[in-house]
Amino acid sequence: SLHLLFNNPKTITMNIAKSALALTLASTARAFSPAATRAFAPAARSSGNARASFIGSSSRGIHASATALNANVLKLTEPAKDLLPGVDVFIFDCDGVIWRGDSVIDGIPETLEKLRALGKKMYFVTNNSTKSRAGYKKKFDSLGLNVPAEEIFSSSFAAAAYLEQTKFKETGKKVYVVGEVGIQEELDLIGVPHFGGPEDGGKIPDMGPGCRVEHDHDVGAVVVGFDRNINYYKIQYAQLCINENPGCEFIATNTDAVTHLTDAQEWAGNGSMVGAIKGCTGQEPTVVGKPSPLMIDYLTDKLGLDKGRICMVGDRLDTDILFGTDNGLKSLLVLSGVTTEEKLLSQENTITPDFYADSIVDFFIDEDAKVEATAEATA
């Protein structure tokens, strides 16, 4: 009921945190400063679908091809008419859109340069929590991508920002981290004490007769992010904190099923780590990454952006595209990551982007076609 929803302690806490946003948005924060996180407010997720209609009630005038299996999904064929004029801001996922593993996808640097030349704003929002914003800036640089630090947002930042806005530091409690250095670096920026993470990667609990794992009763939150060194000790420690420490919050950076560790195959994602903790606690986590509205609320409130002129571009239906449709954004799925065209167009799929394309290189497919036609004509 509405009464229960608006009197739920977690909802009240998140709404109080969102109210604090108005006080912090008056000044622009540096990308890697603690002040940046203070402007990042959580918001309760709407139960309805706030999707803005990019296509409209009719597809008349849209120069894109409707598919046979799912007539509501249009393949982008003339972006200069159908996409670019109606979008001021692109929000890009990273894994599967900009790069795969440690390899940049073909044509991406040139495409980003073309978008900047058109005056489009861009933000890069990743659910991967293994790096902090500073860490991701280094990755962009290593791939030859000229992306300013203030355009980068990660789920590790989102977790720290959530704790900042809910005034976790004032409780005097600690955070136990199941995850990697990205979460720890972001927590350091806001001065929240933490432990666990990589330091617990080699620990093995003694499970002989009468043995037990002793845990810190001052842990007030467990943050679970992608962890390549997940082990039984970490799972046991996390469940003890959540099950036995009164009020201990269970926070997940994301629940992605798979991820791109390399460009050779898909790897089990943070959904597997979160699922392990859910299984032994019976608790649902507060999810701060996509499709949670936290990051889009930050961008629209801080920068005064019009949601109707923002396009979310990603390779996942259940995170990226849902992030767009649930939050009133335009959305475009690319097939350069985890989602196949067959899955997108199947009757079982209920998440529909406004368009789909092979990759973001297709944003200039009509321009490239004109260049090729001109070259052939003059040959």
Side-chain angles (χ1 to χ4, degrees), residues 17 19-29 35-41 165 302:
S19 298
L21 179 66
L23 299 177
T24 60
L25 295 181
S27 60
T28 301
T37 60
R38 288 193 288 272
F40 189 85
Q165 282 299 315
K302 178 178 182 291

Side-chain angles (χ1 to χ4, degrees), residues 329-349:
L329 314 179
K330 301 173 176 64
S331 61
L332 185 145
L333 180 87
V334 290
L335 303 178
S336 51
V338 300
T339 304
T340 64
E341 187 173 37
E342 181 181 7
K343 180 178 180 180
L344 169 67
L345 304 181
S346 69
Q347 294 296 331
E348 291 74 27
N349 175 38

Side-chain angles (χ1 to χ4, degrees), residues 2 48 53 78 86 96 158-160 163 188 219 223 227 248 255 268 286 303-304 373:
L2 287 176
S53 177
E78 295 191 51
L163 291 171
D188 286 340
V219 171
V223 176
D227 191 334
C248 183
T255 56
T286 296
L303 302 176

Side-chain angles (χ1 to χ4, degrees), residues 38 52 55 72-73 104 109 115 139 142 185 189 192 210 218 255 284 301 312-313 317 352 365 374:
R38 288 193 288 272
I55 301 174
N72 292 323
V73 185
V104 68
L115 289 172
K139 179 163 185 174
S142 71
E185 290 175 356
L189 287 175
V192 167
D218 286 332
T255 56
E284 289 293 331
D301 292 343
M312 176 65 214
V313 181
L317 291 165
T352 306
I365 190 173
T374 301

Side-chain angles (χ1 to χ4, degrees), residues 61-106:
I62 295 296
H63 302 275
S65 58
T67 65
L69 292 178
N70 190 336
N72 292 323
V73 185
L74 301 172
K75 187 164 188 179
L76 189 68
T77 57
E78 295 191 51
K81 292 181 180 180
D82 303 329
L83 178 68
L84 298 177
V87 176
D88 296 329
V89 179
F90 285 98
I91 297 177
F92 293 113
D93 178 43
C94 295
D95 296 331
V97 178
I98 305 300
W99 59 64
R100 282 189 292 264
D102 290 323
S103 302
V104 68
I105 294 172
D106 289 343

Side-chain angles (χ1 to χ4, degrees), residues 282-326:
Q283 300 295 315
E284 289 293 331
T286 296
V287 181
V288 295
K290 295 172 294 184
S292 166
L294 297 178
M295 285 188 268
I296 190 60
D297 287 345
Y298 168 73
L299 288 171
T300 55
D301 292 343
K302 178 178 182 291
L303 302 176
L305 303 178
D306 178 359
K307 285 187 177 182
R309 296 188 65 81
I310 300 175
C311 182
M312 176 65 214
V313 181
D315 68 319
R316 298 175 185 271
L317 291 165
D318 59 348
T319 55
D320 300 322
I321 302 308
L322 196 61
F323 178 73
T325 59
D326 275 6

Side-chain angles (χ1 to χ4, degrees), residues 124-145:
F124 301 85
V125 178
T126 175
N127 264 358
N128 191 327
S129 64
T130 59
K131 295 180 177 66
S132 62
R133 291 163 291 163
Y136 274 108
K137 171 58 178 167
K138 292 178 181 177
K139 179 163 185 174
F140 276 100
D141 292 344
S142 71
L143 294 175
L145 299 171

Side-chain angles (χ1 to χ4, degrees), residues 82-336:
D82 303 329
L83 178 68
L84 298 177
V87 176
D88 296 329
V89 179
F90 285 98
I91 297 177
F92 293 113
D93 178 43
C94 295
D95 296 331
V97 178
I98 305 300
W99 59 64
R100 282 189 292 264
D102 290 323
S103 302
V104 68
I105 294 172
D106 289 343
I108 295 302
E110 297 81 4
T111 300
L112 297 181
E113 289 178 5
K114 289 178 181 179
L115 289 172
R116 292 192 192 281
L118 291 176
K120 306 300 184 184
K121 293 181 180 178
M122 291 179 282
Y123 296 95
F124 301 85
V125 178
T126 175
N127 264 358
N128 191 327
S129 64
T130 59
K131 295 180 177 66
S132 62
R133 291 163 291 163
Y136 274 108
K137 171 58 178 167
K138 292 178 181 177
K139 179 163 185 174
F140 276 100
D141 292 344
S142 71
L143 294 175
L145 299 171
N146 183 22
V147 173
E150 59 269 19
E151 292 181 353
I152 303 169
F153 298 90
S154 65
S155 62
S156 53
F157 165 66
Y162 172 78
L163 291 171
E164 177 78 1
Q165 282 299 315
T166 54
K167 302 185 184 303
F168 180 84
K169 184 179 179 180
E170 295 179 7
T171 68
K173 298 289 186 179
K174 306 171 188 175
V175 171
Y176 182 70
V177 176
V178 177
E180 301 190 15
V181 295
I183 297 171
Q184 294 176 313
E185 290 175 356
E186 294 290 353
L187 293 177
D188 286 340
L189 287 175
I190 61 170
V192 167
H194 60 84
F195 65 101
E199 291 77 14
D200 284 355
K203 292 185 178 180
I204 301 174
D206 187 345
M207 291 176 280
C211 292
R212 54 186 284 128
V213 172
E214 299 294 341
H215 76 285
D216 191 332
H217 293 274
D218 286 332
V219 171
V222 173
V223 176
V224 181
F226 183 74
D227 191 334
R228 281 167 286 199
N229 294 300
I230 187 75
N231 58 30
Y232 189 70
Y233 178 88
K234 292 181 181 182
I235 295 171
Q236 171 66 358
Y237 203 102
Q239 76 86 9
L240 287 172
C241 293
I242 295 170
N243 284 336
E244 298 188 10
N245 292 3
C248 183
E249 188 163 9
F250 175 18
I251 300 168
T253 60
N254 68 88
T255 56
D256 292 359
V258 295
T259 189
H260 295 105
L261 291 182
T262 70
D263 58 1
Q265 64 181 177
E266 294 176 359
W267 299 75
N270 194 44
S272 61
M273 290 83 183
V274 174
I277 308 304
K278 285 174 59 176
C280 56
T281 63
Q283 300 295 315
E284 289 293 331
T286 296
V287 181
V288 295
K290 295 172 294 184
S292 166
L294 297 178
M295 285 188 268
I296 190 60
D297 287 345
Y298 168 73
L299 288 171
T300 55
D301 292 343
K302 178 178 182 291
L303 302 176
L305 303 178
D306 178 359
K307 285 187 177 182
R309 296 188 65 81
I310 300 175
C311 182
M312 176 65 214
V313 181
D315 68 319
R316 298 175 185 271
L317 291 165
D318 59 348
T319 55
D320 300 322
I321 302 308
L322 196 61
F323 178 73
T325 59
D326 275 6
N327 292 294
L329 314 179
K330 301 173 176 64
S331 61
L332 185 145
L333 180 87
V334 290
L335 303 178
S336 51

